[in-house]
Amino acid sequence: MIFTCSNQDNVIYRFWKLAIINILSNLTVPLAGLISVAFLGHLDQIRHLAGVVLATILFNFIYKSLGFLRMGTTGVTAQAVGRNDRDGMLLVGLRNGLIALILGVVILSLQYPLRELGFALLSATPDIKFSGIAYFNARIWGAPATLLNFVVIGWFLGREMSGKVLLLSIIGNCANIVCDYFTIVRWGWESTGAGLSVAVSQYVMVLVGLVLVTRQIQWQELISVAMRIWNLSEITATFSLNSNLFIRTLAIIFTLSIFTNMSSALGTTILAENALILEVFMLAVYFIDGLAFATETLTGNLQGQGAKEQLVPLLRMAGGSCLLLGLNLAFLFMLFPQTLFGLLTNHTEVIESITVYIPWLLLVLGFGSIAFMLDGYFLGLAAGHTLRNSTVIALVVGFAPMAVASWQFHSVHLLWLALSLFMAGRAIVLGVKLPSTLK
């Protein structure tokens, strides 16, 4: 007897294969970060670790705001694969790769004003800033490789090659750890060594990535499509998508920054408690993003094929999985707060009072998991304007009014309600737009 798989079964298999590999790939990032922190944390002076943490805030802002290079590559590549448009698939990588290199060179050229402005806005003692600047000066030279890695990863994700993304993540993070050991432990270069390690690991990662890319394509193919890079209508579409995703990402960064700053204004203990809960939220996002990336890839592929009838089962499976994952993580920390938060801090006064605010994780992760999944769906459709509008509306209508109320009444609960409304706003606006994409 011969058994055949239905299209739906095939989508389910592809979804979970992509999701599991994506999650593993995502988790290598915080693991490598923890090991780097351990190297720095065992130095005689803690200022080196503090300086690196300070400078990392600046790098997170720069690189997260340019995350459109990854997001703007995956969905469009997946659509080209679905249409069997090999030229289109190559052009997405070439065009966004060129943009990445240009932006990387611009960042290098502007490193001095970026550094001076960034550290002027960040509060710290002179010795901590000195260590942070040393880290910045070394790591900034990895900017072109970092941005090009965004494109390479996005291109592989769009082609359902998550295994290669996992391989690149492992190689990059292992290179970072090895370099950290030599530059920090053996050679005593402190925060400069930590920054240099990140930069070197990015170049190792992009070199391996480009080698893997060259095994997928032939030189003659690149030559044949090279002149189409400058096609005006395609360039316009690329910049339109990337600019919309840039605004969307800035709105998210702005919201989380305001949340953190307002937490600080409510007191040191409140800041610590909210920061710990946000750490749990970000941990959950590493898992949820694995599902969202899979949704993004398959949505783009099915859209390219014109197989819209398979989008509904994909949405049901992805939405249910993300929601279940988000709520389970929230319940886990609600049920065992002393044990789990005790792994993050030994300050008993923080752990004892944090239980009052943990229930907000249910709303933030509940709405957030759906919002991130729908992000992946609309990224797969390359609907940048929809993602931009949903985030800006959620910020202006959902987050801002309640954040102002929180400030006026000095209420931590209202602040968490503001963040919950931001996540809910994104999910609702994207949900309203959903039916029109299925027709």
Side-chain angles (χ1 to χ4, degrees):
M1 182 180 294
I2 299 175
F3 294 93
T4 59
C5 292
S6 67
N7 288 334
Q8 184 172 337
D9 290 337
N10 184 45
V11 169
I12 292 173
Y13 170 76
R14 290 162 65 193
F15 175 83
W16 284 111
K17 179 182 176 182
L18 287 168
I20 292 170
I21 297 175
N22 287 339
I23 290 172
L24 291 174
S25 177
N26 287 346
L27 290 179
T28 62
V29 178
L31 178 61
L34 286 174
I35 295 173
S36 297
V37 166
F39 283 136
L40 290 164
H42 283 82
L43 295 177
D44 293 337
Q45 297 183 13
I46 198 64
R47 67 181 177 90
H48 301 299
L49 173 59
V52 168
V53 170
L54 190 71
T56 300
I57 295 172
L58 184 54
F59 279 110
N60 284 343
F61 180 82
I62 295 171
Y63 290 143
K64 285 184 178 179
S65 65
L66 299 177
F68 62 80
L69 290 167
R70 201 285 306 164
M71 294 182 286
T73 301
T74 301
V76 183
T77 300
Q79 288 187 29
V81 171
R83 296 191 305 268
N84 288 320
D85 180 5
R86 188 165 178 83
D87 287 355
M89 178 192 70
L90 294 175
L91 282 167
V92 175
L94 285 173
R95 193 173 288 118
N96 282 338
L98 182 60
I99 294 172
L101 286 175
I102 292 171
L103 288 174
V105 172
V106 169
I107 290 173
L108 288 182
S109 302
L110 298 176
Q111 61 179 285
Y112 179 77
L114 285 173
R115 185 190 70 198
E116 295 303 305
L117 177 61
F119 281 94
L121 296 174
L122 297 170
S123 299
T125 59
D127 60 332
I128 290 177
K129 279 194 175 183
F130 181 82
S131 293
I133 289 171
Y135 176 81
F136 179 93
N137 289 341
R139 182 176 172 180
I140 195 68
W141 290 99
T146 301
L147 298 186
L148 194 54
N149 275 323
F150 289 172
V151 178
V152 172
I153 288 171
W155 194 75
F156 279 133
L157 286 174
R159 299 193 65 200
E160 292 190 50
M161 295 181 175
S162 292
K164 288 182 170 55
V165 175
L166 177 59
L167 176 63
L168 289 177
S169 298
I170 293 172
I171 289 173
N173 288 305
C174 285
N176 189 15
I177 292 169
V178 171
C179 288
D180 272 338
Y181 172 74
F182 282 101
T183 59
I184 298 173
V185 179
R186 298 294 296 273
W187 300 336
W189 292 357
E190 301 164 337
S191 55
T192 298
L196 184 63
S197 296
V198 177
V200 169
S201 68
Q202 289 299 310
Y203 281 104
V204 170
M205 187 173 170
V206 79
L207 286 174
V208 175
L210 291 176
V211 169
L212 294 176
V213 168
T214 58
R215 297 179 66 180
Q216 301 294 319
I217 57 180
Q218 296 181 358
W219 182 250
Q220 292 80 0
E221 290 181 293
L222 293 180
I223 295 175
S224 66
V225 302
M227 293 308 297
R228 283 183 57 191
I229 292 178
W230 311 110
N231 181 285
L232 184 58
S233 62
E234 293 178 2
I235 288 176
T236 302
T238 298
F239 275 99
S240 175
L241 174 60
N242 288 345
S243 61
N244 284 327
L245 294 178
F246 177 69
I247 295 170
R248 170 252 182 206
T249 304
L250 280 184
I252 294 176
I253 293 173
F254 181 76
T255 299
L256 294 176
S257 299
I258 293 298
F259 179 90
T260 302
N261 286 335
M262 293 186 70
S263 298
S264 178
L266 292 170
T268 303
T269 302
I270 295 299
L271 173 62
E273 292 168 353
N274 284 358
L276 288 174
I277 298 175
L278 270 185
E279 281 296 314
V280 175
F281 172 75
M282 296 309 298
L283 173 65
V285 169
Y286 278 114
F287 286 92
I288 293 169
D289 268 351
L291 303 176
F293 289 174
T295 306
E296 181 180 350
T297 300
L298 292 178
T299 298
N301 189 270
L302 294 173
Q303 177 76 3
Q305 293 178 27
K308 287 193 173 184
E309 71 281 356
Q310 295 185 51
L311 290 175
V312 173
L314 173 63
L315 283 166
R316 288 174 179 165
M317 177 173 54
S321 301
C322 287
L323 183 60
L324 189 64
L325 179 59
L327 291 179
N328 278 339
L329 283 170
F331 275 120
L332 188 64
F333 276 83
M334 286 177 63
L335 291 173
F336 307 103
Q338 304 288 335
T339 302
L340 296 178
F341 282 104
L343 298 173
L344 302 176
T345 181
N346 58 359
H347 291 275
T348 55
E349 70 277 9
V350 172
I351 296 176
E352 288 173 357
S353 56
I354 202 172
T355 54
V356 177
Y357 308 111
I358 293 176
W360 285 108
L361 268 177
L362 284 174
L363 284 179
V364 174
L365 279 177
F367 288 120
S369 60
I370 297 299
F372 284 117
M373 184 278 295
L374 290 175
D375 270 355
Y377 175 77
F378 281 96
L379 282 169
L381 299 178
H385 60 286
T386 301
L387 291 166
R388 177 202 65 197
N389 292 344
S390 68
T391 310
V392 172
I393 290 171
L395 169 59
V396 174
V397 178
F399 179 80
M402 200 55 63
V404 171
S406 169
W407 177 265
Q408 290 179 335
F409 295 104
H410 300 282
S411 171
V412 183
H413 287 291
L414 288 180
L415 185 58
W416 277 107
L417 178 58
L419 188 59
S420 300
L421 290 174
F422 174 71
M423 296 298 171
R426 291 175 61 219
I428 291 169
V429 175
L430 292 175
V432 169
K433 291 287 185 180
L434 193 59
S436 64
T437 67
L438 300 171
K439 295 177 181 177

